[in-house]
Amino acid sequence: MNATRSIKPLNRPPLLHVTVQESLRDYIESNGLRAGDPLPPETFLAQQLGVGRNSVREAIKALESLGILETRRGVGVFVKEFSFQPLLDNLAYGLGDSLRDIEELREIRRVLETGLIGKTIAQISEADIAELRAVTERMRRRAERNESFVEEDQQFHELLFRCQNNRMLNGLIEVFWRAFYKASDFANLTNADPLSTWRDHHEIVEAIVARDVEKARTRLDEHYEGIKQVIDRNKQTFTT
């Protein structure tokens, strides 16, 4: 006699408000709604979907938390302009303090920035260069006092690519930055040698001023290689 196979348990059907969320997403997509376009009133949506208003309200709140919808008090519910903010708010918490995740983020940032620095050199203005110099000067003063300069570090990398006027790129840089530094107390690790970190940024600026794409790319690559070495040292600390 053949062995009897066990019966697989039934998958639970999705919660009603989750199904409503999917229906609202489909409505937005099928009607070609864009940022700023209104949704029909809750009562109408509830009638069309055959559910209670509470289910519609829960679905709307969930889509608000994802940055898809926004409620304007006394006016209605509208499609929200795309933003990375919900991802920024939640990404770092999922990473915890995993050095492996931090290393993966470092590699993504390295590839992103070294790949696009050439376009920056072709487009950057003297005003942006002046701002980069000012930021690196603040870094130098802090480094000489053996102080961390995380805020200036973030400003530097944002300034590098501001001239490209690419909102998606700017959002990605902020996502990777915020996740990288919030994933653990990693700001203290990357600035373990403030003068060396300042020097990396200073030399990147000098390569940009010289309009030397290869040198700028090499300096960026070396900067991220230095961060990798710090990560590797701390991996050894945690495993010994």
Side-chain angles (χ1 to χ4, degrees), residues 17 21 25 57-68:
H17 71 87
Q21 284 181 52
R25 286 173 184 266
R57 194 170 294 121
E58 285 185 54
I60 289 172
K61 286 181 179 178
L63 293 176
E64 283 181 316
S65 70
L66 295 173
I68 296 172

Side-chain angles (χ1 to χ4, degrees), residues 151-216:
E151 183 177 341
E152 288 82 2
D153 202 336
Q154 181 176 2
Q155 289 172 356
F156 179 92
H157 288 270
E158 290 173 348
L159 280 169
L160 275 184
F161 301 98
R162 186 175 69 180
C163 63
Q164 298 190 25
N165 295 316
N166 185 327
R167 288 195 306 164
M168 184 68 72
L169 172 61
N170 294 340
L172 285 170
I173 289 172
E174 187 176 2
V175 166
F176 293 132
W177 177 275
R178 191 90 64 89
F180 188 76
Y181 280 97
K182 287 179 67 178
S184 69
D185 190 23
F186 205 69
N188 293 327
L189 302 181
T190 53
N191 282 318
D193 185 355
L195 277 172
S196 177
T197 304
W198 159 74
R199 196 171 294 109
D200 284 348
H201 292 83
H202 171 73
E203 291 178 357
I204 291 166
V205 174
E206 292 308 307
I208 291 171
V209 170
R211 307 288 174 173
D212 189 331
V213 175
E214 287 307 312
K215 187 174 182 180

Side-chain angles (χ1 to χ4, degrees), residues 71-175:
T71 297
R72 301 176 189 171
R73 191 175 298 276
V75 180
V77 179
F78 297 81
V79 178
K80 190 174 183 179
E81 184 175 1
F82 175 78
S83 170
F84 278 107
Q85 195 58 48
L87 181 58
L88 287 169
D89 291 340
N90 295 292
L91 179 59
Y93 298 103
L95 292 174
D97 59 354
S98 169
L99 285 170
R100 174 180 174 179
D101 291 337
I102 294 170
E103 162 58 16
E104 290 171 353
L105 284 166
R106 180 209 66 87
E107 180 63 11
I108 293 170
R109 286 184 60 198
R110 183 190 69 79
V111 172
L112 187 68
E113 295 196 14
T114 57
L116 290 169
I117 192 64
K119 189 173 182 180
T120 282
I121 289 176
Q123 297 182 349
I124 196 166
S125 67
E126 292 301 321
D128 283 338
I129 290 173
E131 284 195 57
L132 282 169
R133 286 193 182 280
V135 169
T136 52
E137 176 60 19
R138 292 198 298 274
M139 286 183 179
R140 183 188 63 80
R141 292 198 296 267
R142 286 186 176 275
E144 288 176 345
R145 297 194 295 268
N146 201 36
E147 296 176 357
S148 176
F149 41 78
V150 174
E151 183 177 341
E152 288 82 2
D153 202 336
Q154 181 176 2
Q155 289 172 356
F156 179 92
H157 288 270
E158 290 173 348
L159 280 169
L160 275 184
F161 301 98
R162 186 175 69 180
C163 63
Q164 298 190 25
N165 295 316
N166 185 327
R167 288 195 306 164
M168 184 68 72
L169 172 61
N170 294 340
L172 285 170
I173 289 172
E174 187 176 2
V175 166

